[in-house]
Amino acid sequence: MEVVILPGSKQIGKLAAAAIEELLRKKPEAVLGLATGSSPLPVYDELAARHSRGGLDFSRAHAFALDEYVGLEHGHPESYREVIRREFTSRVNIDETNVHTPDGAAEDLPAACRSYEDALQAAGGVDLQLLGVGTDGHIGFNEPGSSLASRTRIKSLIEQTRRDNARFFPGLAAVPHHVVTQGLGTIMEARHVVLVATGARKAPAVRDFVEGPVSAFCPASILQFHPHATILLDEAAASSLKLADFYRHTYEHKPAWQGL
Ligand code: GLP
């Protein structure tokens, strides 16, 4: 796990976008793993800017979202399919038929989850997966207690997550109780994982998953087993880390050839 502490979300957006740009230049047909929530927005803004400024080309790229609410009709503005389209894919030249989201409106959810896993495999797996983290340590919608080996499936949301996400809905009652999400085992197969966390509210979850034990109780802690996980934090999100100075020192002295 590489922990990089930066002054703010602008710098985080630039660094993550630079890694995605480098990937796309080397591999134009790369498969990107997309996340929703506020944390990845500076990355999407920077990618959109690089696309319109310098012609960063997404025309051959593929994208897979992490998760989706169950019970929202297709086209609902807060469905993750729509959020991903609004915040990112509509702002670059990716072919919308190459953008995939788990189908939370399917009649047969287990079958939809299986076919999502199949589509991921058929595309060759995710090259770079963007992640946020929930205040309870969830990634995707893998709440505490999720199997560390889980695959795409239906899950129930913890009340804390429903409350955290209520800001996107008319009120708490409108937040779905069920979701479909890539499993922790699915996410672990991405070749590079880039997790973004900003703000003091994330500091306890960051402390737990970076420096605590690997445990299903803190799902993001599974990333300690990932061979290429990059954790991008602002100062506030990093404020409870014991080894913050060591992470800063390591990043400052990192050989340039290593990249992210
Ligand atoms: C939702 C998403 C997660 C995201 C989390 C944190 O629960 N399913 O993928 O990481 O929110 O969101 P935010 O970045 O807005 O704090």
Side-chain angles (χ1 to χ4, degrees):
M1 220 181 224
E2 179 182 25
V3 178
V4 182
I5 303 170
L6 294 165
S9 47
K10 219 170 175 71
Q11 291 86 349
I12 291 176
K14 280 188 192 303
L15 192 61
I20 293 172
E21 173 155 11
E22 199 185 320
L23 169 67
L24 285 170
R25 298 219 182 270
K26 272 196 261 175
K27 187 178 179 186
E29 70 287 5
V31 178
L32 305 176
L34 304 179
T36 49
S38 311
S39 310
L41 296 181
V43 185
Y44 297 148
D45 288 345
E46 181 63 24
L47 287 172
R50 284 173 189 232
H51 169 67
S52 56
R53 220 173 38 224
L56 175 57
D57 182 23
F58 292 82
S59 61
R60 291 168 61 195
H62 296 253
F64 283 82
L66 280 170
D67 45 14
E68 181 58 282
Y69 290 110
V70 167
L72 302 184
E73 71 278 12
H74 286 141
H76 187 291
E78 291 312 324
S79 70
Y80 280 174
R81 182 167 193 84
E82 281 303 303
V83 171
I84 289 279
R85 202 188 50 72
R86 197 165 60 232
E87 305 290 1
F88 179 50
T89 56
S90 65
R91 303 165 69 194
V92 297
N93 66 330
I94 194 165
D95 179 346
E96 282 294 338
T97 60
N98 287 345
V99 180
H100 308 268
T101 318
D103 186 358
E107 234 164 71
D108 185 344
L109 285 172
C113 291
R114 277 194 301 276
S115 65
Y116 200 64
E117 288 276 336
D118 292 345
L120 265 167
Q121 291 290 329
V126 171
D127 288 295
L128 188 151
Q129 176 67 58
L130 273 177
L131 291 175
V133 64
T135 53
D136 62 357
H138 74 245
I139 50 177
F141 266 137
N142 293 280
E143 295 285 29
S146 291
S147 158
L148 299 179
S150 49
R151 312 301 305 187
T152 304
R153 70 218 182 289
I154 186 168
K155 288 294 288 178
S156 295
L157 292 182
I158 274 182
E159 279 306 289
Q160 184 177 330
T161 301
R162 292 187 65 249
R163 279 196 300 274
D164 285 348
N165 290 0
R167 66 190 193 277
F168 298 113
F169 290 87
L172 183 59
V175 183
H177 287 269
H178 292 107
V179 293
V180 282
T181 179
Q182 286 187 33
L184 295 172
T186 320
I187 293 169
M188 285 294 283
E189 284 171 9
R191 286 180 272 279
H192 183 192
V193 168
V194 177
L195 185 148
V196 174
T198 50
R201 284 181 65 247
K202 296 293 172 70
V206 167
R207 175 199 60 210
D208 291 349
F209 87 80
V210 174
E211 295 181 340
V214 174
S215 156
F217 194 73
C218 181
S221 65
I222 186 69
L223 299 178
Q224 293 179 33
F225 280 124
H226 197 287
H228 192 184
T230 306
I231 314 300
L232 303 181
L233 306 173
D234 68 359
E235 292 288 346
S239 58
S240 297
L241 290 174
K242 287 196 194 103
L243 294 185
D245 286 342
F246 171 60
Y247 307 136
R248 282 194 195 92
H249 175 89
T250 305
Y251 186 65
E252 271 164 31
H253 296 90
K254 186 177 180 179
W257 57 262
Q258 278 192 313
L260 202 58

